PDB file of all heavy atoms in Angstrom:
ATOM      1  N   MET A   1      -8.920  16.452  17.822  1.00 48.00           N
ATOM      2  CA  MET A   1      -8.749  15.997  16.455  1.00 48.00           C
ATOM      3  C   MET A   1      -9.654  14.783  16.208  1.00 48.00           C
ATOM      4  O   MET A   1      -9.722  13.900  17.039  1.00 48.00           O
ATOM      5  CB  MET A   1      -7.282  15.611  16.259  1.00 48.00           C
ATOM      6  CG  MET A   1      -6.795  15.802  14.872  1.00 48.00           C
ATOM      7  SD  MET A   1      -5.088  15.207  14.787  1.00 48.00           S
ATOM      8  CE  MET A   1      -4.354  16.608  14.054  1.00 48.00           C
ATOM      9  N   THR A   2     -10.342  14.768  15.099  1.00 54.00           N
ATOM     10  CA  THR A   2     -11.206  13.633  14.782  1.00 54.00           C
ATOM     11  C   THR A   2     -10.600  12.812  13.659  1.00 54.00           C
ATOM     12  O   THR A   2      -9.915  13.338  12.792  1.00 54.00           O
ATOM     13  CB  THR A   2     -12.610  14.113  14.345  1.00 54.00           C
ATOM     14  OG1 THR A   2     -12.474  14.888  13.178  1.00 54.00           O
ATOM     15  CG2 THR A   2     -13.283  14.917  15.436  1.00 54.00           C
ATOM     16  N   GLU A  12      -7.042  -3.863  -7.178  1.00 97.00           N
ATOM     17  CA  GLU A  12      -7.972  -4.661  -7.979  1.00 97.00           C
ATOM     18  C   GLU A  12      -9.368  -4.044  -7.977  1.00 97.00           C
ATOM     19  O   GLU A  12     -10.034  -3.984  -9.015  1.00 97.00           O
ATOM     20  CB  GLU A  12      -8.028  -6.106  -7.476  1.00 97.00           C
ATOM     21  CG  GLU A  12      -6.752  -6.893  -7.695  1.00 97.00           C
ATOM     22  CD  GLU A  12      -5.642  -6.582  -6.693  1.00 97.00           C
ATOM     23  OE1 GLU A  12      -5.929  -6.018  -5.598  1.00 97.00           O
ATOM     24  OE2 GLU A  12      -4.474  -6.878  -7.000  1.00 97.00           O
ATOM     25  N   ALA A  16     -11.223  -2.395 -11.258  1.00 97.00           N
ATOM     26  CA  ALA A  16     -12.546  -2.870 -11.690  1.00 97.00           C
ATOM     27  C   ALA A  16     -13.522  -1.704 -11.831  1.00 97.00           C
ATOM     28  O   ALA A  16     -14.318  -1.651 -12.788  1.00 97.00           O
ATOM     29  CB  ALA A  16     -13.085  -3.901 -10.707  1.00 97.00           C
ATOM     30  N   GLN A  25     -17.639   0.110 -21.799  1.00 95.00           N
ATOM     31  CA  GLN A  25     -18.791   0.167 -20.896  1.00 95.00           C
ATOM     32  C   GLN A  25     -19.324   1.576 -20.699  1.00 95.00           C
ATOM     33  O   GLN A  25     -20.529   1.798 -20.696  1.00 95.00           O
ATOM     34  CB  GLN A  25     -18.452  -0.467 -19.549  1.00 95.00           C
ATOM     35  CG  GLN A  25     -18.195  -1.942 -19.646  1.00 95.00           C
ATOM     36  CD  GLN A  25     -17.790  -2.556 -18.328  1.00 95.00           C
ATOM     37  OE1 GLN A  25     -17.307  -1.877 -17.434  1.00 95.00           O
ATOM     38  NE2 GLN A  25     -18.002  -3.853 -18.213  1.00 95.00           N
ATOM     39  N   ASN A  26     -18.417   2.540 -20.499  1.00 95.00           N
ATOM     40  CA  ASN A  26     -18.793   3.950 -20.337  1.00 95.00           C
ATOM     41  C   ASN A  26     -19.932   4.174 -19.354  1.00 95.00           C
ATOM     42  O   ASN A  26     -20.838   4.970 -19.593  1.00 95.00           O
ATOM     43  CB  ASN A  26     -19.165   4.572 -21.685  1.00 95.00           C
ATOM     44  CG  ASN A  26     -17.969   4.773 -22.564  1.00 95.00           C
ATOM     45  OD1 ASN A  26     -16.870   5.000 -22.097  1.00 95.00           O
ATOM     46  ND2 ASN A  26     -18.185   4.670 -23.862  1.00 95.00           N
ATOM     47  N   SER A  28     -21.834   5.689 -16.268  1.00 96.00           N
ATOM     48  CA  SER A  28     -21.752   7.052 -15.732  1.00 96.00           C
ATOM     49  C   SER A  28     -21.239   7.053 -14.294  1.00 96.00           C
ATOM     50  O   SER A  28     -21.442   6.098 -13.536  1.00 96.00           O
ATOM     51  CB  SER A  28     -23.123   7.728 -15.779  1.00 96.00           C
ATOM     52  OG  SER A  28     -23.979   7.168 -14.815  1.00 96.00           O
ATOM     53  N   VAL A  29     -20.590   8.142 -13.950  1.00 96.00           N
ATOM     54  CA  VAL A  29     -20.100   8.313 -12.586  1.00 96.00           C
ATOM     55  C   VAL A  29     -21.277   8.292 -11.618  1.00 96.00           C
ATOM     56  O   VAL A  29     -21.202   7.698 -10.541  1.00 96.00           O
ATOM     57  CB  VAL A  29     -19.287   9.624 -12.465  1.00 96.00           C
ATOM     58  CG1 VAL A  29     -18.991   9.963 -11.021  1.00 96.00           C
ATOM     59  CG2 VAL A  29     -18.003   9.527 -13.267  1.00 96.00           C
ATOM     60  N   THR A  33     -21.614   5.864  -8.459  1.00 97.00           N
ATOM     61  CA  THR A  33     -21.746   6.478  -7.135  1.00 97.00           C
ATOM     62  C   THR A  33     -22.941   5.905  -6.392  1.00 97.00           C
ATOM     63  O   THR A  33     -22.844   5.553  -5.218  1.00 97.00           O
ATOM     64  CB  THR A  33     -21.893   8.009  -7.266  1.00 97.00           C
ATOM     65  OG1 THR A  33     -20.715   8.532  -7.857  1.00 97.00           O
ATOM     66  CG2 THR A  33     -22.124   8.670  -5.932  1.00 97.00           C
ATOM     67  N   ASP A  35     -24.462   3.053  -6.997  1.00 96.00           N
ATOM     68  CA  ASP A  35     -24.298   1.616  -6.822  1.00 96.00           C
ATOM     69  C   ASP A  35     -23.324   1.275  -5.692  1.00 96.00           C
ATOM     70  O   ASP A  35     -23.606   0.420  -4.853  1.00 96.00           O
ATOM     71  CB  ASP A  35     -23.826   0.991  -8.135  1.00 96.00           C
ATOM     72  CG  ASP A  35     -23.741  -0.522  -8.094  1.00 96.00           C
ATOM     73  OD1 ASP A  35     -24.566  -1.158  -7.399  1.00 96.00           O
ATOM     74  OD2 ASP A  35     -22.852  -1.073  -8.767  1.00 96.00           O
ATOM     75  N   ILE A  38     -19.544   5.514  -3.524  1.00 95.00           N
ATOM     76  CA  ILE A  38     -18.243   6.177  -3.562  1.00 95.00           C
ATOM     77  C   ILE A  38     -18.505   7.588  -4.067  1.00 95.00           C
ATOM     78  O   ILE A  38     -19.300   7.783  -4.991  1.00 95.00           O
ATOM     79  CB  ILE A  38     -17.269   5.451  -4.515  1.00 95.00           C
ATOM     80  CG1 ILE A  38     -17.049   4.020  -4.052  1.00 95.00           C
ATOM     81  CG2 ILE A  38     -15.956   6.197  -4.607  1.00 95.00           C
ATOM     82  CD1 ILE A  38     -16.215   3.193  -5.007  1.00 95.00           C
ATOM     83  N   LYS A  40     -18.489  11.143  -5.909  1.00 97.00           N
ATOM     84  CA  LYS A  40     -18.213  11.542  -7.288  1.00 97.00           C
ATOM     85  C   LYS A  40     -16.800  12.093  -7.412  1.00 97.00           C
ATOM     86  O   LYS A  40     -16.111  11.823  -8.387  1.00 97.00           O
ATOM     87  CB  LYS A  40     -19.206  12.611  -7.742  1.00 97.00           C
ATOM     88  CG  LYS A  40     -20.610  12.117  -7.975  1.00 97.00           C
ATOM     89  CD  LYS A  40     -21.499  13.268  -8.418  1.00 97.00           C
ATOM     90  CE  LYS A  40     -22.933  12.843  -8.513  1.00 97.00           C
ATOM     91  NZ  LYS A  40     -23.806  13.963  -8.889  1.00 97.00           N
ATOM     92  N   TYR A  44     -14.028  10.844 -10.110  1.00 96.00           N
ATOM     93  CA  TYR A  44     -13.441  11.756 -11.096  1.00 96.00           C
ATOM     94  C   TYR A  44     -11.922  11.832 -10.931  1.00 96.00           C
ATOM     95  O   TYR A  44     -11.185  11.885 -11.917  1.00 96.00           O
ATOM     96  CB  TYR A  44     -14.048  13.154 -10.981  1.00 96.00           C
ATOM     97  CG  TYR A  44     -15.441  13.261 -11.574  1.00 96.00           C
ATOM     98  CD1 TYR A  44     -16.517  13.703 -10.812  1.00 96.00           C
ATOM     99  CD2 TYR A  44     -15.674  12.933 -12.904  1.00 96.00           C
ATOM    100  CE1 TYR A  44     -17.786  13.812 -11.346  1.00 96.00           C
ATOM    101  CE2 TYR A  44     -16.947  13.029 -13.454  1.00 96.00           C
ATOM    102  CZ  TYR A  44     -17.993  13.466 -12.673  1.00 96.00           C
ATOM    103  OH  TYR A  44     -19.249  13.571 -13.214  1.00 96.00           O
ATOM    104  N   LYS A  48      -9.258  10.740 -13.805  1.00 95.00           N
ATOM    105  CA  LYS A  48      -8.260  11.704 -14.274  1.00 95.00           C
ATOM    106  C   LYS A  48      -6.853  11.095 -14.154  1.00 95.00           C
ATOM    107  O   LYS A  48      -6.046  11.212 -15.080  1.00 95.00           O
ATOM    108  CB  LYS A  48      -8.353  12.994 -13.472  1.00 95.00           C
ATOM    109  CG  LYS A  48      -7.396  14.066 -13.912  1.00 95.00           C
ATOM    110  CD  LYS A  48      -7.564  15.328 -13.094  1.00 95.00           C
ATOM    111  CE  LYS A  48      -6.565  16.386 -13.523  1.00 95.00           C
ATOM    112  NZ  LYS A  48      -6.701  17.607 -12.724  1.00 95.00           N
ATOM    113  N   ALA A  50      -6.063   7.911 -14.111  1.00 93.00           N
ATOM    114  CA  ALA A  50      -5.931   6.802 -15.063  1.00 93.00           C
ATOM    115  C   ALA A  50      -5.693   7.322 -16.478  1.00 93.00           C
ATOM    116  O   ALA A  50      -4.869   6.765 -17.213  1.00 93.00           O
ATOM    117  CB  ALA A  50      -7.189   5.936 -15.020  1.00 93.00           C
ATOM    118  N   ARG A  51      -6.382   8.376 -16.854  1.00 91.00           N
ATOM    119  CA  ARG A  51      -6.208   8.939 -18.189  1.00 91.00           C
ATOM    120  C   ARG A  51      -4.818   9.552 -18.368  1.00 91.00           C
ATOM    121  O   ARG A  51      -4.211   9.422 -19.415  1.00 91.00           O
ATOM    122  CB  ARG A  51      -7.287   9.985 -18.470  1.00 91.00           C
ATOM    123  CG  ARG A  51      -8.637   9.380 -18.737  1.00 91.00           C
ATOM    124  CD  ARG A  51      -9.673  10.422 -19.015  1.00 91.00           C
ATOM    125  NE  ARG A  51     -10.941   9.834 -19.406  1.00 91.00           N
ATOM    126  CZ  ARG A  51     -12.080  10.487 -19.501  1.00 91.00           C
ATOM    127  NH1 ARG A  51     -12.119  11.784 -19.250  1.00 91.00           N
ATOM    128  NH2 ARG A  51     -13.176   9.863 -19.863  1.00 91.00           N
TER     129      ARG A  51
END
Side-chain angles (χ1 to χ4, degrees):
M1 210 183 231
T2 62
E12 292 78 19
Q25 294 177 337
N26 288 329
S28 72
V29 169
T33 297
D35 185 33
I38 300 174
K40 288 180 186 178
Y44 284 123
K48 182 179 178 181
R51 286 180 174 169

